[in-house]
Coordinates of all heavy atoms in Angstrom, one line a residue:
G464 N 56.6 81.9 96.1 CA 55.7 81.0 95.3 C 56.4 79.8 94.8 O 57.7 79.8 94.6
T465 N 55.6 78.8 94.4 CA 56.2 77.6 93.7 C 56.4 77.7 92.2 O 57.0 76.9 91.6 CB 55.3 76.3 94.1 OG1 54.0 76.6 93.4 CG2 55.1 76.2 95.5
N466 N 55.8 78.7 91.6 CA 55.7 78.9 90.2 C 55.0 77.8 89.5 O 55.1 77.7 88.2 CB 57.1 79.2 89.6 CG 57.8 80.4 90.0 OD1 57.1 81.5 90.1 ND2 59.0 80.5 90.3
K467 N 54.3 76.9 90.2 CA 53.5 76.0 89.5 C 52.0 76.5 89.4 O 51.8 77.5 89.9 CB 53.5 74.6 90.3 CG 54.9 74.1 90.4 CD 54.8 72.7 91.2 CE 56.1 72.0 91.3 NZ 56.6 71.5 90.0
Y468 N 51.3 75.7 88.6 CA 49.9 76.1 88.3 C 48.8 75.3 89.2 O 49.0 74.2 89.4 CB 49.6 75.9 86.8 CG 50.4 76.8 85.9 CD1 51.7 76.5 85.5 CD2 49.8 78.0 85.5 CE1 52.4 77.4 84.7 CE2 50.6 78.9 84.7 CZ 51.9 78.6 84.3 OH 52.7 79.4 83.5
Y469 N 47.7 76.1 89.5 CA 46.7 75.4 90.2 C 45.3 76.1 89.8 O 45.4 77.1 89.2 CB 46.8 75.6 91.7 CG 46.7 76.9 92.3 CD1 45.5 77.5 92.8 CD2 47.8 77.9 92.2 CE1 45.4 78.8 93.3 CE2 47.7 79.2 92.6 CZ 46.6 79.6 93.2 OH 46.5 80.9 93.6
V470 N 44.2 75.4 90.0 CA 43.0 75.9 89.5 C 42.4 76.8 90.5 O 42.3 76.7 91.7 CB 42.0 74.8 89.2 CG1 41.7 74.0 90.5 CG2 40.8 75.2 88.4
K471 N 41.7 78.0 90.0 CA 40.9 78.8 90.8 C 39.5 78.8 90.2 O 39.2 79.4 89.1 CB 41.4 80.2 90.8 CG 42.7 80.3 91.5 CD 43.1 81.8 91.7 CE 42.2 82.4 92.7 NZ 42.6 83.8 93.1
Y472 N 38.6 77.9 90.7 CA 37.3 77.7 90.1 C 36.5 78.9 90.1 O 35.7 79.1 89.1 CB 36.5 76.6 90.9 CG 37.2 75.2 90.7 CD1 37.8 74.5 91.6 CD2 36.9 74.6 89.5 CE1 38.3 73.3 91.6 CE2 37.6 73.3 89.3 CZ 38.3 72.6 90.3 OH 38.8 71.4 90.1
D473 N 36.6 79.8 91.1 CA 35.9 81.1 91.0 C 36.2 82.0 89.9 O 35.4 82.8 89.4 CB 35.9 81.8 92.4 CG 37.4 82.1 92.8 OD1 38.3 81.6 92.1 OD2 37.6 83.0 93.6
A474 N 37.4 81.9 89.4 CA 37.9 82.7 88.2 C 37.7 81.9 86.9 O 38.0 82.4 85.9 CB 39.4 83.1 88.4
G475 N 37.5 80.6 87.0 CA 37.4 79.8 85.8 C 38.7 79.8 85.2 O 38.8 79.8 83.9
A476 N 39.9 79.7 85.8 CA 41.1 79.7 85.2 C 42.2 78.9 86.1 O 42.0 78.7 87.1 CB 41.6 81.1 85.0
C477 N 43.2 78.6 85.3 CA 44.4 78.0 86.1 C 45.5 79.1 86.1 O 45.8 79.8 85.1 CB 45.0 76.8 85.3 SG 44.1 75.3 85.4
V478 N 45.9 79.4 87.4 CA 46.8 80.5 87.7 C 48.2 80.0 88.2 O 48.2 78.9 88.7 CB 46.2 81.5 88.6 CG1 44.9 82.1 87.9 CG2 45.9 80.8 89.9
Q479 N 49.2 80.8 87.9 CA 50.6 80.4 88.5 C 50.8 80.9 89.9 O 50.4 82.1 90.2 CB 51.6 80.9 87.5 CG 53.0 80.5 87.8 CD 54.0 81.0 86.8 OE1 53.8 81.9 86.1 NE2 55.1 80.2 86.6
D480 N 51.2 80.0 90.7 CA 51.6 80.3 92.1 C 52.9 81.2 92.1 O 54.0 80.4 92.4 CB 51.6 79.1 93.0 CG 51.9 79.3 94.3 OD1 51.7 80.4 94.9 OD2 52.6 78.5 95.0
T481 N 52.9 82.4 92.0 CA 54.1 83.2 92.0 C 54.4 83.8 93.4 O 55.5 84.3 93.6 CB 54.1 84.3 91.0 OG1 53.0 85.1 91.2 CG2 54.0 83.8 89.6
D482 N 53.4 83.9 94.3 CA 53.6 84.6 95.5 C 53.2 83.8 96.7 O 52.9 84.3 97.8 CB 52.7 85.8 95.4 CG 51.2 85.5 95.2 OD1 50.8 84.3 95.1 OD2 50.5 86.5 95.1
G483 N 53.0 82.4 96.5 CA 52.7 81.6 97.7 C 51.3 81.5 98.1 O 50.9 81.1 99.2
S484 N 50.4 82.0 97.1 CA 48.9 82.1 97.4 C 48.2 80.7 97.3 O 47.1 80.6 97.7 CB 48.3 83.1 96.4 OG 48.5 82.7 95.1
A485 N 48.9 79.7 96.6 CA 48.3 78.4 96.6 C 48.2 77.8 97.9 O 49.0 78.0 98.7 CB 49.1 77.5 95.7
E486 N 47.0 77.2 98.2 CA 46.8 76.6 99.6 C 47.3 75.2 99.5 O 47.7 74.7 98.5 CB 45.3 76.5 99.8 CG 44.5 77.8 99.8 CD 45.0 78.8 101.0 OE1 45.6 78.3 101.8 OE2 44.7 79.9 100.9
S487 N 47.5 74.7 100.7 CA 48.2 73.4 100.8 C 47.4 72.2 100.1 O 48.0 71.2 99.8 CB 48.4 73.0 102.3 OG 47.2 73.1 103.0
W488 N 46.1 72.4 100.0 CA 45.2 71.4 99.5 C 45.2 71.5 97.9 O 44.6 70.7 97.3 CB 43.8 71.5 100.0 CG 43.2 72.8 99.9 CD1 42.5 73.3 98.8 CD2 43.1 73.8 100.9 NE1 42.0 74.6 99.1 CE2 42.4 74.8 100.4 CE3 43.5 73.8 102.2 CZ2 42.1 76.0 101.1 CZ3 43.2 75.0 102.9 CH2 42.6 76.2 102.4
D489 N 45.6 72.6 97.4 CA 45.6 72.8 95.9 C 46.6 71.9 95.2 O 47.7 71.7 95.6 CB 46.0 74.2 95.5 CG 44.8 75.2 95.8 OD1 43.7 74.9 95.7 OD2 45.2 76.4 96.3
E490 N 46.1 71.1 94.1 CA 47.0 70.3 93.4 C 47.8 71.2 92.4 O 47.2 72.0 91.8 CB 46.2 69.2 92.6 CG 47.0 68.3 91.8 CD 46.1 67.2 91.2 OE1 44.8 67.3 91.3 OE2 46.7 66.3 90.4
L491 N 49.0 71.0 92.3 CA 49.9 71.8 91.5 C 50.4 71.0 90.3 O 50.6 69.8 90.3 CB 51.2 72.2 92.4 CG 50.8 72.9 93.7 CD1 52.2 73.3 94.4 CD2 50.0 74.2 93.4
F492 N 50.5 71.8 89.3 CA 50.9 71.3 88.0 C 52.1 72.1 87.4 O 52.2 73.2 87.6 CB 49.7 71.4 87.0 CG 48.5 70.5 87.4 CD1 47.6 71.1 88.1 CD2 48.4 69.2 87.0 CE1 46.4 70.4 88.6 CE2 47.3 68.5 87.4 CZ 46.3 69.0 88.3
D493 N 52.9 71.4 86.7 CA 54.0 72.0 86.0 C 53.7 73.1 85.0 O 54.5 74.0 84.8 CB 55.1 71.0 85.5 CG 55.7 70.2 86.7 OD1 55.9 70.7 87.8 OD2 56.1 69.1 86.4
T494 N 52.7 72.8 84.2 CA 52.3 73.6 83.1 C 50.8 74.0 83.3 O 50.0 73.3 83.8 CB 52.6 73.0 81.8 OG1 51.6 71.9 81.6 CG2 54.1 72.6 81.7
K495 N 50.5 75.1 82.6 CA 49.1 75.6 82.6 C 48.2 74.6 81.8 O 47.1 74.3 82.2 CB 49.0 77.0 82.0 CG 47.7 77.5 82.1 CD 47.7 79.0 81.6 CE 46.3 79.7 81.8 NZ 46.4 81.1 81.4
S496 N 48.8 74.0 80.8 CA 48.1 73.1 79.9 C 47.7 71.8 80.8 O 46.6 71.3 80.6 CB 49.0 72.6 78.7 OG 48.3 71.6 77.9
E497 N 48.6 71.3 81.6 CA 48.3 70.1 82.4 C 47.2 70.5 83.3 O 46.2 69.7 83.6 CB 49.6 69.7 83.2 CG 50.7 69.1 82.2 CD 51.9 68.8 83.1 OE1 52.0 69.3 84.2 OE2 52.7 68.0 82.6
C498 N 47.2 71.7 83.9 CA 46.2 72.1 84.9 C 44.8 72.1 84.2 O 43.8 71.7 84.8 CB 46.6 73.5 85.6 SG 45.4 74.1 86.7
C499 N 44.8 72.7 83.0 CA 43.5 72.9 82.3 C 43.0 71.5 81.9 O 41.8 71.3 81.9 CB 43.7 73.7 81.1 SG 44.0 75.6 81.4
Q500 N 43.8 70.6 81.5 CA 43.3 69.2 81.1 C 42.8 68.5 82.2 O 41.9 67.7 82.1 CB 44.5 68.5 80.4 CG 45.0 69.1 79.0 CD 46.1 68.5 78.5 OE1 46.7 67.4 79.1 NE2 46.7 68.8 77.3
E501 N 43.4 68.7 83.4 CA 43.0 67.9 84.6 C 41.8 68.6 85.3 O 40.9 67.8 85.9 CB 44.2 67.7 85.5 CG 45.3 66.9 85.0 CD 44.7 65.4 84.9 OE1 43.9 65.0 85.8 OE2 45.3 64.7 84.0
K502 N 41.8 69.9 85.4 CA 40.8 70.6 86.3 C 39.7 71.3 85.5 O 38.6 71.4 86.1 CB 41.6 71.4 87.2 CG 42.5 70.8 88.1 CD 41.9 69.9 89.1 CE 42.9 69.2 90.1 NZ 42.2 68.3 91.0
L503 N 40.0 71.7 84.3 CA 39.0 72.5 83.7 C 38.9 71.9 82.2 O 38.9 72.7 81.2 CB 39.3 74.0 83.6 CG 39.2 74.8 85.0 CD1 39.8 76.1 84.9 CD2 37.8 74.7 85.6
W504 N 38.9 70.7 82.1 CA 38.9 69.9 80.8 C 37.7 70.4 79.8 O 37.8 70.3 78.6 CB 38.9 68.5 80.9 CG 37.9 68.0 81.7 CD1 37.9 67.7 83.1 CD2 36.5 67.5 81.4 NE1 36.7 67.3 83.6 CE2 35.8 67.1 82.5 CE3 35.9 67.6 80.2 CZ2 34.6 66.6 82.5 CZ3 34.5 67.0 80.1 CH2 33.9 66.7 81.3
W505 N 36.6 70.8 80.5 CA 35.4 71.1 79.6 C 35.5 72.7 79.1 O 34.7 72.9 78.3 CB 34.2 70.9 80.5 CG 34.2 72.0 81.6 CD1 33.7 73.2 81.6 CD2 34.6 71.7 82.9 NE1 33.7 73.8 82.8 CE2 34.3 72.9 83.7 CE3 35.3 70.6 83.5 CZ2 34.7 73.0 85.1 CZ3 35.5 70.8 84.9 CH2 35.2 72.0 85.6
D506 N 36.4 73.4 79.6 CA 36.5 74.9 79.2 C 37.6 75.0 78.3 O 38.7 75.0 78.5 CB 36.9 75.7 80.5 CG 36.8 77.2 80.2 OD1 36.6 77.6 79.1 OD2 36.9 77.9 81.3
T507 N 37.1 75.1 77.0 CA 38.1 75.3 75.9 C 38.8 76.7 76.0 O 39.8 76.8 75.3 CB 37.3 75.4 74.6 OG1 36.2 76.3 74.5 CG2 36.6 73.9 74.3
G508 N 38.4 77.6 76.7 CA 39.0 78.8 76.9 C 40.0 78.9 78.0 O 40.6 80.0 78.3
C509 N 40.3 77.7 78.7 CA 41.1 77.8 79.8 C 42.5 78.3 79.7 O 43.1 79.1 80.4 CB 41.1 76.4 80.6 SG 42.2 76.3 81.9
L510 N 43.2 77.8 78.5 CA 44.5 78.2 78.3 C 44.7 79.7 78.0 O 45.8 80.2 78.3 CB 45.0 77.4 77.1 CG 45.3 76.0 77.2 CD1 45.7 75.3 76.0 CD2 46.4 75.8 78.3

Side-chain angles (χ1 to χ4, degrees):
T465 63
N466 287 326
K467 294 182 179 293
Y468 292 86
Y469 67 100
V470 66
K471 291 191 71 172
Y472 288 109
D473 57 346
C477 282
V478 298
Q479 190 174 21
D480 176 31
T481 59
D482 58 2
S484 58
E486 302 292 349
S487 59
W488 56 81
D489 287 321
E490 185 177 358
L491 303 178
F492 299 90
D493 291 331
T494 67
K495 188 173 186 177
S496 176
E497 290 176 342
C498 177
C499 288
Q500 289 175 4
E501 290 291 329
K502 297 299 183 179
L503 295 173
W504 51 268
W505 65 87
D506 187 350
T507 57
C509 176
L510 286 175

